[in-house]
């Protein structure tokens, strides 16, 4: 690891030192954007890397440092709390993020202490100003000294700190997964690697990527999935040219659940199959449905998000099959019984996608699962009125809390079981749900995909 002069190292190459600080500055900019603007981490990291113009190794270091700092935020704050005399809430937010970046390197980063502290000091100098230097230097040196004697708690608090989750998320996971809790949470910390959805010929895409030196292989569950571990989507011509789009296989499986058994021998939906994606932004599933031949109505609550669907459709060449509407799906503007298929890919806590968006776990609050579960049930009930007789309704959420997943599907069936029946997804998802659960909970520990919940219903032909 590169050392900075401020770390007290001697004989360091000044050019390399500069790059070492540049990588930390890029990571800091990404973290700040997530914290200040509420940005999603993948675009925030991508923007920071673009602006920093780093080379390959430093780019990878900076991206990893940003994601890991966001992932470990609660644990880093707990550790910093043992060496800072005042409450962390009283520290300027931009300085606190410098400290977190330094603390992650000290606790987990396999970075020499002098480099972790020195580059943090240089980062503070460059981004905050000289007034922050002494404080950052003192706190991080203090943490380096205390690192091996921090009073790590036992019990569930210890689990939360050791696995980098808020206490309430550990409690939710324990309720949902029991003895599997640690495995699920640990899998949520593993780097997922890139998965692409091939927009055209999947085999040709795999060949193209292999020819370019990537270790690409066909995904095992969805016929359009391509796994490309270690690849940066921002650098792939297939992505830039709209021949592939980054998407987790679990999301592809949600679409597959909606269209299972309906595709012809060419993998196409019946002509002009009318389908509504009621919560569509940014458009991953709408464009997938359009690519299969569906005639897609894509709604999303906020106009700015709805416009993302139009952008995605244009990028992937399916604008002619996607009609975008900014609409509240709980007060639906569509005609009753007008769609052969309706997808409610509901707003949720997102705890199933923390591999890709590690910051989400710290953004959510303990009351969110119940609040969002209630919204999801309203969305599902409203969407159900739009399904034509013998049509299909799929409910999905990229999370696993009980209140958002099984409780919603169960409550829906309890109220509408006279008209809707859950259908079996084992052929599509590779396994069935647990007894008493109308849907299936995918999870990264056993499925190697995002933690997506899927439940699928058909409307009775005569109801
Ligand atoms: C999980 S995301 C959808 C992801 C999308 N289906 C995809 O695959 O790209 C949930 C979306 O629901 C939208 N949403 C939230 N409340 C809504 C409502 N009442 N009506 C319609 N959309 C809503 C959010 O703006 C968000 O874009």
């Amino acid at each position: 690891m590169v050392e900075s002069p401020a770390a007290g190292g001697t004989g360091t190459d000044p050019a390399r030192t500069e790059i070492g600080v540049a990588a930390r500055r890029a990571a800091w900019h990404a973290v700040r954007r997530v914290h200040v603007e509420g940005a999603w981490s993948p675009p925030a990291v991508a923007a920071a890397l673009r602006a920093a113009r780093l080379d390959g190794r430093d780019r990878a270091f900076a991206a990893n440092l940003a994601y890991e700092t966001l992932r470990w935020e609660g644990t880093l704050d707990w550790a910093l709390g043992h060496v800072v005399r005042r409450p962390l809430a009283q520290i300027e937010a931009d300085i606190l993020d410098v400290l977190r970046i330094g603390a992650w390197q000290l606790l987990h980063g396999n970075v020499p202490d002098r480099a972790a502290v020195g580059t943090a000091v240089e980062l503070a100098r460059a981004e905050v100003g000289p007034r922050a230097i002494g404080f950052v230097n003192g706190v991080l040196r203090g943490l380096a000294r205390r690192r091996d004697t921090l009073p790590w708690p036992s019990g569930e608090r210890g689990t939360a700190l050791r696995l980098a989750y808020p206490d309430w998320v550990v409690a939710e996971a324990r309720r949902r997964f029991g003895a599997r809790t640690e495995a699920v949470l640990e899998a949520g910390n593993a780097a997922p690697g890139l998965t692409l959805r091939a927009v055209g010929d999947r085999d040709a895409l795999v060949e193209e990527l292999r020819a370019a030196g990537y270790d690409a292989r066909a995904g095992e569950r969805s016929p359009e999935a391509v796994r490309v571990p270690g690849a940066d989507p921002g650098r792939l011509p297939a992505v830039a040219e709209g021949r592939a789009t980054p998407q987790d296989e679990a999301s592809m499986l949600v679409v597959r659940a909606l269209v299972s058994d309906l595709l012809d021998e060419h993998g196409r939906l019946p002509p002009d199959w009318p389908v509504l994606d009621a919560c569509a932004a940014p458009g991953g599933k709408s464009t997938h449905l359009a690519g299969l031949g569906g005639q897609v109505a894509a709604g999303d609550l906020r106009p700015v998000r709805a416009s993302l669907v139009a952008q995605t459709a244009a990028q992937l060449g399916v604008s002619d099959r996607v009609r975008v509407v900014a609409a509240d799906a709980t007060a639906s503007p569509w005609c009753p019984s007008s769609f052969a298929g309706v997808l409610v890919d509901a707003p949720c806590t997102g705890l199933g996608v923390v591999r890709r968006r590690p910051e989400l776990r710290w953004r959510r609050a303990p009351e969110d699962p119940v609040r969002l579960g209630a919204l999801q049930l309203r969305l599902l009930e409203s969407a159900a009125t739009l399904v034509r007789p013998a049509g299909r309704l799929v409910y999905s959420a990229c999370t696993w809390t009980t209140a958002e997943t099984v409780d919603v599907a169960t409550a829906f069936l309890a109220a509408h079981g006279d008209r809707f029946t859950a259908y079996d997804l084992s052929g599509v998802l590779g396994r069935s749900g647990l007894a008493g659960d109308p849907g299936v909970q995918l999870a990264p520990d056993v499925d190697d995909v995002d933690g997506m919940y899927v439940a699928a219903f058909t409307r009775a032909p005569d109801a």
Side-chain angles (χ1 to χ4, degrees):
M1 185 45 57
V2 179
E3 293 186 355
S4 118
T10 54
T12 49
D13 173 347
R16 297 300 305 156
T17 300
E18 185 49 42
I19 290 171
V21 175
R24 273 84 170 182
R25 287 180 74 178
W28 181 86
H29 278 287
V31 170
R32 289 307 294 145
R33 200 151 173 190
V34 169
H35 285 154
V36 175
E37 297 173 20
W40 290 20
S41 50
V45 170
L49 293 180
R50 262 195 313 276
R53 296 164 176 265
L54 302 170
D55 69 17
R57 198 195 65 159
D58 292 295
R59 219 178 133 81
F61 178 90
N64 185 56
L65 181 55
Y67 284 123
E68 292 298 296
T69 301
L70 292 166
R71 190 184 321 281
W72 287 91
E73 187 171 307
T75 306
L76 300 176
D77 286 1
W78 171 83
L80 287 166
H82 285 84
V83 290
V84 179
R85 290 213 179 81
R86 56 188 136 126
L88 294 195
Q90 290 177 11
I91 298 174
E92 270 177 54
D94 47 3
I95 298 177
L96 182 56
D97 281 337
V98 173
L99 293 175
R100 287 168 172 155
I101 280 175
W104 182 81
Q105 294 171 74
L106 289 172
L107 295 183
H108 301 288
N110 199 20
V111 173
D113 290 357
R114 285 188 308 172
V117 177
T119 50
V121 166
E122 290 311 309
L123 169 60
R125 189 196 308 277
E127 299 292 350
V128 186
R131 68 194 163 78
I133 291 173
F135 179 64
V136 166
N137 190 38
V139 169
L140 292 180
R141 279 173 184 265
L143 182 58
R145 279 194 301 275
R146 287 235 38 205
R147 181 179 42 211
D148 298 330
T149 56
L150 285 170
W152 291 93
S154 56
E156 291 295 66
R157 177 79 185 119
T159 304
L161 288 173
R162 197 165 37 78
L163 296 181
Y165 288 87
D167 297 354
W168 71 268
V169 173
V170 175
E172 287 280 353
R174 190 72 68 197
R175 222 153 55 88
R176 183 81 157 107
F177 298 112
R180 242 180 83 205
T181 295
E182 278 80 1
V184 173
L185 296 179
E186 270 170 17
N189 287 338
L194 177 66
T195 304
L196 298 176
R197 171 163 58 83
V199 172
D201 182 337
R202 171 168 78 169
D203 293 342
L205 179 64
V206 170
E207 280 311 307
E208 173 185 327
L209 291 164
R210 284 200 183 140
Y214 292 102
D215 175 24
R217 64 180 166 82
E220 280 161 22
R221 297 186 167 222
S222 178
E224 44 278 283
V226 177
R227 302 265 181 153
V228 207
D232 176 350
R235 300 193 152 194
L236 298 179
V239 172
E241 293 160 16
R243 292 181 288 109
T245 186
Q247 191 177 46
D248 189 81
E249 222 166 331
S251 292
M252 301 180 214
L253 292 175
V254 168
V255 167
R256 290 270 154 193
L258 183 61
V259 304
S260 67
D261 306 329
L262 295 176
L263 303 177
D264 66 15
E265 68 272 26
H266 306 294
R268 307 290 297 169
L269 280 163
D272 298 329
W273 196 68
V275 54
L276 169 68
D277 184 354
C279 302
K285 297 179 188 69
S286 284
T287 51
H288 189 180
L289 284 162
L292 295 171
Q295 196 62 49
V296 184
D300 205 275
L301 181 61
R302 287 186 288 139
V304 65
R305 289 204 43 86
S307 69
L308 293 176
V309 184
Q311 275 173 34
T312 309
Q315 164 74 8
L316 300 179
V318 290
S319 296
D320 57 330
R321 305 195 75 81
V322 179
R323 198 163 36 85
V324 181
V325 182
D328 181 349
T330 61
S332 182
W334 293 280
C335 295
S337 304
S338 53
F339 293 99
V342 175
L343 171 60
V344 178
D345 186 34
C348 68
T349 49
L351 293 174
V353 294
V354 292
R355 300 188 303 171
R356 298 176 198 283
R357 295 188 54 201
E359 73 281 6
L360 272 180
R361 68 194 80 193
W362 307 112
R363 257 187 212 172
R364 301 300 181 214
E367 59 276 17
D368 286 348
V370 168
R371 180 180 60 79
L372 287 163
L375 171 62
Q376 290 166 20
L377 183 57
R378 279 197 292 135
L379 287 163
L380 189 55
E381 293 194 310
S382 176
T385 65
L386 307 175
V387 180
R388 71 189 187 194
R392 293 171 172 211
L393 174 64
V394 163
Y395 157 64
S396 60
C398 55
T399 194
W400 45 255
T401 68
T402 308
E404 293 175 275
T405 56
V406 59
D407 283 2
V408 174
T410 305
F412 176 75
L413 270 188
H416 304 282
D418 54 334
R419 298 170 68 227
F420 285 89
T421 315
Y423 59 90
D424 180 35
L425 294 175
S426 55
V428 177
L429 303 182
R431 62 187 176 81
S432 312
L434 300 176
D437 184 344
V440 179
Q441 180 68 62
L442 298 169
D445 61 326
V446 290
D447 300 297
D448 191 21
V449 299
D450 283 346
M452 182 81 79
Y453 180 83
V454 196
F457 311 95
T458 41
R459 180 175 164 186
D462 52 358

